[in-house]
Amino acid sequence: MLRRLLAAGERVICVSHRQALPADCAAHPACESITVDLTDARSATALKDKHFDRVIHLAGLSRAHPAQMQAINVQGTEQLLAAASVAVTHFLYVSTQDAASDTQTVYGDSKRQAERLIEASGVPYSIARPGLVYGDGGGALRSVAGFARRWHLYPRPGSGQQCWQPVHVGDLADWLVQAIALPPMGTVALAGSRAVSQQVIFSMTLQAAGVRAWPVPLPMALLRLMRVVLGFHPLAKEMLGKLILNAGDRLLPADGRALPRGFPDEA
């Protein structure tokens, strides 16, 4: 995102909980980096002294204790909105496909709560809901490969034949750079152009990582039973909720937008 925005001639204020920018971005004369704790009202208030007219909100936690996700995803968004409420002409929030799911998870619910705060804020906004993001060695697929490398096994929720539409991180970044320069557009679901089975996605991910591992099948019925039995433990409940989500199809809704690159990345 930073490299694309700077290449487009934008002046960028990068707000982070730690200063760890790529060296070329940190040295760029149009890039300013500041450290802010979005859960701290006093820290976030310091943003009001900065002059900015558009916000791309990428901060969030997806794998953490429920209280941490609530603090960052909901309270952090609330603090950022308070700092941005005066002069901002476009607030672009990167949410998740999970926010629209009927299966409740703390992560998905926290992102949906953040969406509601944005919708009610009066700030002109766009909300992007991407599906599974892959590419550049990061994201959820890196976690799958890391688990498989360590244990030579990996969880396979559902039959493995359910279809997802992974979106390449480069395509998502391109869309965000284009979107922030356009008028606010409300909520938009995003996905890659190709529907691929989970089995193929996992197999190609492990092959690319040079990892040999065997799947541990987790049928939907078993996942639902485990969530009932272990629902007293918030972390287990959250993990099983995410596995239940991934045991079904994760396809772009009819009113969503397909981005150019499909899976696998052939570019």
Side-chain angles (χ1 to χ4, degrees):
M1 283 298 308
L2 280 172
R3 292 192 175 104
R4 281 162 167 76
L5 289 166
L6 292 170
E10 300 283 4
R11 184 181 69 87
V12 181
I13 302 172
C14 181
V15 180
S16 174
H17 69 287
R18 64 181 184 275
Q19 292 184 334
L21 302 187
D24 56 326
C25 296
H28 198 288
C31 183
E32 177 184 357
S33 176
I34 60 174
T35 302
V36 171
D37 179 358
L38 286 180
T39 64
D40 182 344
R42 290 174 297 178
S43 179
T45 299
L47 288 174
K48 291 186 176 181
D49 297 331
K50 300 293 179 180
H51 299 288
F52 56 92
D53 58 3
R54 289 166 291 164
V55 174
I56 302 175
H57 182 13
L58 290 158
L61 286 178
S62 60
R63 291 182 293 275
H65 190 278
Q68 289 178 294
M69 285 192 281
Q70 187 75 14
I72 295 295
N73 298 348
V74 182
Q75 296 167 22
T77 299
E78 187 173 28
Q79 300 292 357
L80 185 56
L81 282 168
S85 61
V86 178
V88 167
T89 60
H90 195 171
F91 190 102
L92 174 54
Y93 179 56
V94 180
S95 184
T96 172
Q97 195 179 65
D98 293 5
S101 174
D102 292 333
T103 298
Q104 288 190 332
T105 61
V106 174
Y107 173 59
D109 291 348
S110 69
K111 299 293 272 188
R112 182 60 190 136
Q113 288 178 58
E115 290 183 5
R116 291 194 181 104
L117 288 172
I118 295 164
E119 292 163 355
S121 68
V123 175
Y125 71 89
S126 300
I127 294 172
R129 284 179 175 172
L132 174 69
V133 180
Y134 77 98
D136 289 351
L141 294 181
R142 179 177 62 179
S143 299
V144 172
F147 186 95
R149 180 178 287 110
R150 181 175 182 181
W151 301 105
H152 304 291
L153 299 168
Y154 64 93
R156 192 191 69 192
S159 67
Q161 299 308 306
Q162 65 270 35
C163 287
W164 299 347
Q165 286 181 255
V167 54
H168 191 274
V169 65
D171 281 355
L172 178 58
D174 286 338
W175 188 90
L176 293 170
V177 170
Q178 294 166 11
I180 198 63
L182 296 173
M185 59 188 74
T187 301
V188 183
L190 303 169
S193 60
R194 183 176 171 218
V196 189
S197 74
Q198 181 206 77
Q199 180 178 341
V200 168
I201 293 169
F202 283 7
S203 294
M204 296 194 70
T205 297
L206 297 181
Q207 183 179 358
V211 176
R212 293 190 64 184
W214 287 264
V216 178
L218 298 171
M220 179 74 83
L222 175 62
L223 290 171
R224 293 190 185 280
L225 176 61
M226 290 173 65
R227 200 178 196 211
V228 171
V229 173
L230 300 176
F232 66 91
H233 193 291
L235 294 180
K237 184 178 181 181
E238 181 70 2
M239 179 189 71
L240 289 165
K242 290 178 178 178
L243 288 171
I244 289 169
L245 279 173
N246 290 333
D249 290 333
R250 308 294 297 274
L251 298 174
L252 186 67
D255 59 350
R257 299 190 187 184
L259 301 184
R261 207 174 326 194
F263 187 95
D265 175 18
E266 298 175 351

